[in-house]
Amino acid sequence: MYQVITMYGDNEPWWFFEDWKEDITEEKQFDNFDEAEKYFDERWEALSQDYTYHNTKKNYLSAFWNEEDERWCEECDDYLQQYWGLALLMDNQAITVESRKEFYETTNTSGKAKCCKRFKQGA
């Protein structure tokens, strides 16, 4: 079973911290890879139009963000960037892929990535 998930929170989707599923805002399930990949491509294209920055890994894991989308973290005493994550998974695990389409490999970064591992999303 394949899943295409959209997430929102402090971390890019490739980190898979213990509570990563709490950041899921949408999940679609597919029986075959081609249908899942088609939906992933459609979501990737839509998100890339809405956000200034994106970073995409070769195994169907992408993060999208705008610089001004931050939240204050009391524990860190700093602002944390907020990310929209998009992932194509198989049985809730990252897929290993040797190569990806060229347009996914474009990366824009602002160098602002910060992560607070102490903060529990939704707490």
Side-chain angles (χ1 to χ4, degrees):
M1 177 78 53
Y2 297 93
Q3 302 83 30
V4 175
I5 60 168
T6 305
M7 302 181 295
Y8 181 76
D10 297 339
N11 303 304
E12 298 97 328
W14 44 86
W15 291 113
F16 292 104
F17 291 124
E18 185 176 321
D19 57 354
W20 71 271
K21 289 184 180 182
E22 294 177 21
D23 291 342
I24 295 174
T25 61
E26 177 186 74
E27 179 177 345
K28 299 270 187 187
Q29 300 211 9
F30 300 89
D31 290 326
N32 80 45
F33 177 79
D34 291 336
E35 289 176 13
E37 183 182 43
K38 181 179 181 213
Y39 184 74
F40 177 90
D41 290 345
E42 291 168 1
R43 291 290 295 137
W44 193 97
E45 191 62 41
L47 286 165
S48 71
Q49 298 299 313
D50 292 336
Y51 296 93
T52 305
Y53 302 102
H54 65 271
N55 187 355
T56 299
K57 304 296 183 183
K58 293 182 180 186
N59 58 342
Y60 296 93
L61 300 170
S62 300
F64 303 85
W65 69 97
N66 290 325
E67 274 190 27
E68 64 276 3
D69 190 8
E70 298 177 318
R71 75 163 183 85
W72 179 255
C73 175
E74 292 288 333
E75 290 185 38
C76 302
D77 194 32
D78 202 357
Y79 286 95
L80 296 178
Q81 184 67 55
Q82 299 298 283
Y83 300 96
W84 283 96
L86 181 65
L88 193 165
L89 307 174
M90 184 174 76
D91 300 325
N92 290 308
Q93 302 287 321
I95 295 173
T96 302
V97 177
E98 296 300 321
S99 63
R100 284 297 292 133
K101 296 176 186 170
E102 185 175 310
F103 78 92
Y104 286 127
E105 295 184 15
T106 302
T107 301
N108 299 313
T109 64
S110 67
K112 291 185 66 178
K114 296 178 185 167
C115 176
C116 176
K117 293 175 185 73
R118 295 174 293 181
F119 176 74
K120 181 171 172 85
Q121 203 77 15

